[in-house]
Every structure is written in structure tokens, then in C-alpha cells.
């Protein structure tokens, strides 16, 4: 203690540090931006008010026995936790630097269970911040951070199953994304095996905790199963992937029902992945049901977010693909009323989906690509099932997208070839006017494509 400091000054700073930590914890729990900014300002204020840090005379490292050492580490920790959640990368980097300050001091402190908890929390949040930066180097360092968090927790007297399970899950997810540019088939298989091992450990830890009703453990367990579904797809295990996605969706449903729009969007994404797993496993009915549900869930969320729009469109396209498969398989049963219902539903899904995007500003790349796939399905649907409506559909939804222009050109070419191959059989049967009308509609599409091409020169 310096001569200018008194026990009362230190006591006041200790109290302020604890109050700032409580405010930061409450702000993080609320996810309220204004409260988080206010808590961050409180951390900065207390750190600035603290006296110069005492260093060990021999190592020149912070002295863990010095006054306010524990409080200083705690405030650095909360400052870091707040900043790594920021939208801007530069703020995330500042958060990582703050967490490094906390880790440096906590690593020197007496390693009781309380310190180990704080150290594990610092490493966990460091991993999360690095993961958000997204570079391969950051991902590799994130995995190392989760390893450090696991090591700190496993040294505790009692295990926090939820926190340790979350660390193993995060390690697995980090490894799953940690792709090498020159990976071989063998190295990918080895990496995915490590991912599976980490996620399996997370399941073993989280299942007993979730069974007691621990809300965070239930949420984490649902996420683990969702990620196991993804990695099992990559390991070419469709049955295992389907099992994992089903468990993940089952666990997440009640959590989504208790939440808001963000949780409903998350549920829609998980149900969509379930549908894809059903398709891969050959369960067409379940795939159709999941795709329909994912579409309804996504469209029930505010559609201003490009991610929501893209998911809703992808789910709509997935429904169309299943319906298209049924139409193609039952092509000979032209008079089947069920076939007519499938055809009507598929047509409405395409038309309504593309119409919903009309009038919007330039679509984000992902949404535009998904919309192009829906347009391509519509072109196939009308060309093979109702060719008399093909030209009208192509023109109505062509827009200015280059991908759609290529799809329209290919559809016109294929339709013309089909008409030529059929020769004069239909025209001799009194269908000359219908064929002539189709040819005129196709010519109108070609003319529109030529006008677009000329305008771009």
C-alpha cells in the first residue's frame, strides 16, 4: 500500500469493483445494449481509479498478494466478457486483450475453486471471442482456449457439469470448423473423429444435468445434438445424423416455446436440418413434414432479416424438391387427384415465394442464390408438368438476376427440344394452337433475354 492510500480507500475500491461485476453480470444476462455499455463504462472507471499495480520484484509480474489484485483481475474479466460480444472486430480484439489481462493475474493467484472458476470463465470467453473473429488462426487459438478452460475446470473439487460440457461442445465445434487448405481424406477423418469424441463427452456431462431441469444444460445439450447431426453427415452416417437431429429438435422445442423470435428462428433452422437428414436417410414423408414446418416457423419470424428470408426460402425449396420427386415418380398417373394436388401445391410454393421477393431492394447474395434455385425448380416444374405455362412463369419472375437469366435460357432450349422431339403427333391431333402458343411464349422469353443482354453492352 502506498503512503497516499488508506485502508478506507482500498475498501471503497473493493466495494466498487464488486458492484461493477454485479452490474456487468446483470447486463450480460439481460443482453440490453444500453446496460452493457453502462457496465463497460463502469469497468473502465474502476480500473482507472485503481492505484498503480504492484509487481513482484523478481519476476516483474503482477503480485497476486498485493491489495486489489483479485478485484483488478475480476474487473478485467468482466470488461473482456462484455467486449467479446460486440459487433465490431476491433472491440472483440479489445475484449480478448482484457481477458488476457485477467488470465495473467488469475494464473498467478492461489488456485482455489473460486479462482479456477474465474480462470475457466476467462478462457471460455476468450475462446468465444476468437471464434467470432472467424480466421483459421483465431479458430485454432479458440480451440486452445477451450482446452485451457477444460483443464481449469477438471482441477476443481466439484465439477460444474454444464460449464464443462459447454467447453467440450465448444472445443468440438471449433475443431469442426478448423479446416486445413491441404487436408487429405485421412486427416479430415481424424479431425472429425476428434470432433465426435469432444461432442460425445459433452453429451455424457450434460445429459444428467439436463435431466434435473437445468435450463442452460438443456439448451447446451440440444446444441450438442444439433452439432453431432452435422458432423455425422460429414462422416457419411445418415442414420446417426437423423437420430442426432431428432434428439436436438425434441430438446429445443420447449425452449423455443418459452423464448422469442430468435429462439423460433433457431428452431426453424434445426427443423430444416432435420428435414435434410430425413432426406438423406430416405424418409421422404418425414422430410416433407420437417421442411413444411421449417418454412412456417421461419415465415412466422420477422422477415426483415436476410438470414430469416434465406432460411424460409431454402425450406420452401426443400418442400418443392420432395413434391417434385413425387411428381416425377408418378408421371404416368396423370389423372391421379393426389398428383393434381401435389402439382398445385408445388406451383403455389414457387409462385408465392418468388412473388414475396418482388419489389425488394437488391437481394443479399445468399437470398438471391436460394431464390434462383426456387426459380430453377419452377422452370423444371412447368416445363415437365405444365409446359403451356412455362413462358409466362419465366417472364413473370425473371427479374434482373443473371442466374435466373441463365436458367430461363436453358429452360427455353430444353422446352424447344421437347417440342421438336414430339414432332407433329400433337399437331395432327388438334393441338396445333396450343403448341403455337407455347412457341410464341418461348420466343417472348428469348426476346426479353436478348434485350437484357443488349442493355448490358
Amino acid at each position: 500500500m502506498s503512503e497516499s492510500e488508506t485502508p478506507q480507500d482500498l475498501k471503497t475500491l473493493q466495494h466498487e469493483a464488486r458492484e461493477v461485476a454485479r452490474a456487468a453480470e446483470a447486463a450480460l444476462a439481460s443482453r440490453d445494449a444500453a446496460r452493457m455499455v453502462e457496465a463497460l463504462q463502469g469497468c473502465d472507471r474502476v480500473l482507472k481509479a485503481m492505484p498503480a499495480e504492484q509487481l513482484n520484484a523478481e519476476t516483474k509480474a503482477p503480485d497476486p498478494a498485493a491489495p486489489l489484485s483479485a478485484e483488478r483481475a475480476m474487473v478485467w474479466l468482466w470488461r473482456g466478457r462484455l467486449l467479446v460480444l460486440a459487433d465490431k472486430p476491433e472491440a472483440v480484439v479489445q475484449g480478448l486483450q482484457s481477458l488476457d489481462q485477467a488470465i495473467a493475474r488469475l494464473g498467478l493467484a492461489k488456485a482455489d475453486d473460486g479462482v479456477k472458476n474465474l480462470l475457466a470463465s476467462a478462457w471460455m470467453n476468450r475462446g468465444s471471442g476468437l471464434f467470432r473473429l472467424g480466421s483459421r488462426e483465431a479458430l485454432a487459438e479458440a480451440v486452445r482456449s477451450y482446452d485451457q478452460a477444460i483443464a481449469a475446470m477438471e482441477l476443481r473439487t466439484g465439477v460444474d457439469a454444464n460449464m464443462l460440457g459447454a467447453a467440450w461442445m465448444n472445443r468440438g465445434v471449433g475443431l469442426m470448423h478448423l479446416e486445413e487448405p491441404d487436408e487429405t481424406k485421412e486427416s479430415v477423418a481424424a479431425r472429425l473423429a476428434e470432433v465426435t469424441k469432444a461432442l460425445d463427452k459433452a453429451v455424457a456431462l450434460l445429459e444428467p444435468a439436463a435431466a434435473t431441469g437445468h435450463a442452460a444444460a438443456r439448451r447446451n445439450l440440444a446444441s450438442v445434438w444439433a452439432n453431432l447431426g452435422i458432423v455425422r453427415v460429414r462422416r457419411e452416417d445418415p442414420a446417426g445424423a437423423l437420430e442426432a437431429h431428432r434428439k436436438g429438435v425434441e430438446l429445443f422445442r420447449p425452449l423455443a416455446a418459452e423464448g422469442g423470435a430468435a429462439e423460433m428462428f433457431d428452431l426453424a433452422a434445426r427443423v430444416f436440418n432435420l428435414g435434410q437428414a430425413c432426406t438423406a436417410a430416405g424418409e421422404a414423408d418425414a422430410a416433407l413434414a420437417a421442411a413444411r414446418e421449417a418454412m412456417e416457423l421461419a415465415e412466422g419470424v420477422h422477415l426483415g432479416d436476410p438470414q430469416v428470408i434465406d432460411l424460409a426460402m431454402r425450406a420452401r425449396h426443400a418442400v418443392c424438391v420432395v413434391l417434385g420427386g413425387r411428381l416425377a415418380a408418378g408421371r404416368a398417373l396423370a389423372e391421379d387427384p393426389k398428383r393434381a394436388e401435389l402439382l398445385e401445391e408445388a406451383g403455389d410454393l414457387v409462385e408465392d415465394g418468388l412473388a414475396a421477393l418482388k419489389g425488394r431492394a437488391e437481394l443479399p447474395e445468399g437470398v438471391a442464390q436460394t431464390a434462383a434455385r426456387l426459380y430453377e425448380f419452377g422452370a423444371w416444374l412447368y416445363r415437365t408438368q405444365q409446359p403451356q405455362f412455362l413462358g409466362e412463369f419465366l417472364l413473370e419472375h425473371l427479374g434482373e438476376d443473371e442466374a435466373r437469366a441463365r436458367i430461363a435460357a436453358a429452360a427455353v432450349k430444353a422446352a424447344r427440344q421437347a417440342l421438336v422431339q414430339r414432332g407433329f403427333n400433337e399437331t395432327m391431333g388438334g393441338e396445333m394452337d396450343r403448341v403455337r402458343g407455347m412457341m410464341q411464349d418461348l420466343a417472348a422469353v428469348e426476346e426479353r433475354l436478348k434485350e437484357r443482354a443488349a442493355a448490358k453492352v
Side-chain angles (χ1 to χ4, degrees):
M1 185 188 308
S2 68
E3 293 181 2
S4 61
E5 296 163 12
T6 67
Q8 187 59 40
D9 292 332
L10 295 177
K11 188 174 181 180
T12 298
L13 284 170
Q14 287 172 339
H15 174 74
E16 289 182 0
R18 287 192 291 269
E19 287 299 309
V20 161
R22 278 193 285 268
E25 184 175 15
L28 277 175
S30 72
R31 285 298 193 267
D32 181 83
R35 290 180 67 182
M36 290 172 71
V37 170
E38 184 179 356
L40 179 62
Q41 291 170 342
C43 291
D44 288 339
R45 183 180 65 253
V46 169
L47 286 170
K48 187 176 180 180
M50 286 183 176
E53 190 168 19
Q54 294 182 27
L55 304 179
N56 183 287
E58 295 181 1
T59 64
K60 306 302 181 185
D63 185 353
L68 300 176
S69 177
E71 289 75 17
R72 199 186 303 267
M74 179 175 62
V75 176
W76 277 120
L77 170 60
W78 283 108
R79 184 179 192 273
R81 291 189 64 178
L82 290 163
L83 281 169
V84 293
L85 293 175
D87 293 329
K88 296 181 178 179
E90 53 269 30
V92 175
V93 171
Q94 289 182 29
L96 294 170
Q97 292 168 347
S98 295
L99 291 170
D100 285 342
Q101 294 284 349
I103 289 168
R105 288 155 181 79
L106 291 167
L108 295 171
K110 182 181 178 181
D112 57 26
D113 282 348
V115 169
K116 291 170 189 172
N117 273 346
L118 292 175
L119 188 57
S121 176
W123 280 115
M124 285 280 284
N125 282 274
R126 186 176 188 270
S128 298
L130 287 160
F131 197 93
R132 295 187 68 215
L133 292 180
S135 70
R136 194 196 173 283
E137 294 75 15
L139 282 174
E141 188 62 18
V143 171
R144 189 183 77 83
S145 295
Y146 294 130
D147 285 338
Q148 293 290 335
I150 290 167
M153 281 184 273
E154 289 183 340
L155 290 173
R156 280 194 47 178
T157 304
V159 174
D160 182 337
N162 176 60
M163 190 172 177
L164 184 55
W168 277 110
M169 174 181 69
N170 291 341
R171 182 182 195 276
V173 174
L175 282 171
M176 185 159 54
H177 288 83
L178 195 56
E179 299 174 348
E180 297 277 2
D182 55 350
E183 276 188 307
T184 64
K185 185 177 181 180
E186 291 74 19
S187 64
V188 170
R191 178 168 57 82
L192 294 181
E194 277 295 304
V195 172
T196 301
K197 179 181 176 182
L199 296 178
D200 285 344
K201 285 192 174 183
V203 169
L205 286 159
L206 292 167
E207 278 189 333
T212 68
H214 192 296
R218 288 164 56 206
R219 182 176 295 273
N220 283 331
L221 183 59
S223 294
V224 173
W225 280 116
N227 283 292
L228 271 169
I230 294 170
V231 75
R232 286 175 181 178
V233 168
R234 296 187 184 180
R235 299 186 78 184
E236 300 180 355
D237 177 12
L242 179 54
E243 176 197 27
H245 281 302
R246 277 184 170 145
K247 286 184 177 180
V249 168
E250 181 182 348
L251 283 162
F252 194 74
R253 280 192 191 282
L255 299 173
E258 298 167 3
E263 284 77 13
M264 293 309 293
F265 171 73
D266 200 357
L267 177 60
R270 292 166 192 245
V271 172
F272 176 79
N273 287 337
L274 171 60
Q276 298 294 291
C278 289
T279 298
E283 296 192 12
D285 289 344
L288 182 59
R292 282 173 170 157
E293 183 187 2
M295 182 181 70
E296 291 170 3
L297 287 168
E299 290 181 348
V301 180
H302 177 59
L303 288 178
D305 187 329
Q307 283 188 310
V308 179
I309 298 171
D310 184 49
L311 178 59
M313 293 294 288
R314 285 192 292 138
R316 183 177 289 265
H317 179 261
V319 176
C320 288
V321 168
V322 178
L323 295 177
R326 293 186 175 183
L327 285 166
R331 188 175 302 168
L333 305 176
E335 304 304 321
D336 185 348
K338 290 185 178 180
R339 181 181 181 281
E341 292 173 8
L342 292 175
L343 184 57
E344 181 180 7
E345 182 181 1
D348 288 346
L349 283 167
V350 173
E351 299 274 4
D352 293 347
L354 294 174
L357 298 178
K358 278 188 176 180
R360 291 182 177 271
E362 185 176 351
L363 297 174
E365 184 177 353
V367 177
Q369 290 175 352
T370 305
R373 288 197 293 273
L374 192 63
Y375 183 73
E376 185 174 33
F377 175 85
W380 170 86
L381 180 72
Y382 286 113
R383 180 174 62 80
T384 61
Q385 309 297 320
Q386 294 178 311
Q388 67 272 27
F389 300 132
L390 175 61
E392 178 185 352
F393 167 79
L394 293 175
L395 279 176
E396 183 177 355
H397 299 289
L398 178 61
E400 299 300 321
D401 185 71
E402 286 303 313
R404 294 195 203 183
R406 291 191 294 271
I407 291 165
V412 168
K413 181 179 179 181
R416 283 190 181 281
Q417 288 174 343
L419 288 172
V420 170
Q421 288 170 359
R422 278 149 57 180
F424 294 98
N425 291 334
E426 290 194 359
T427 58
M428 293 297 289
E431 296 294 326
M432 185 177 292
D433 289 342
R434 188 170 72 91
V435 173
R436 184 183 295 114
M438 285 190 287
M439 296 295 283
Q440 289 174 346
D441 288 345
L442 295 177
V445 177
E446 288 179 320
E447 185 61 29
R448 175 65 183 131
L449 291 173
K450 288 177 182 177
E451 291 173 359
R452 279 187 44 169
K456 294 182 181 295
V457 174

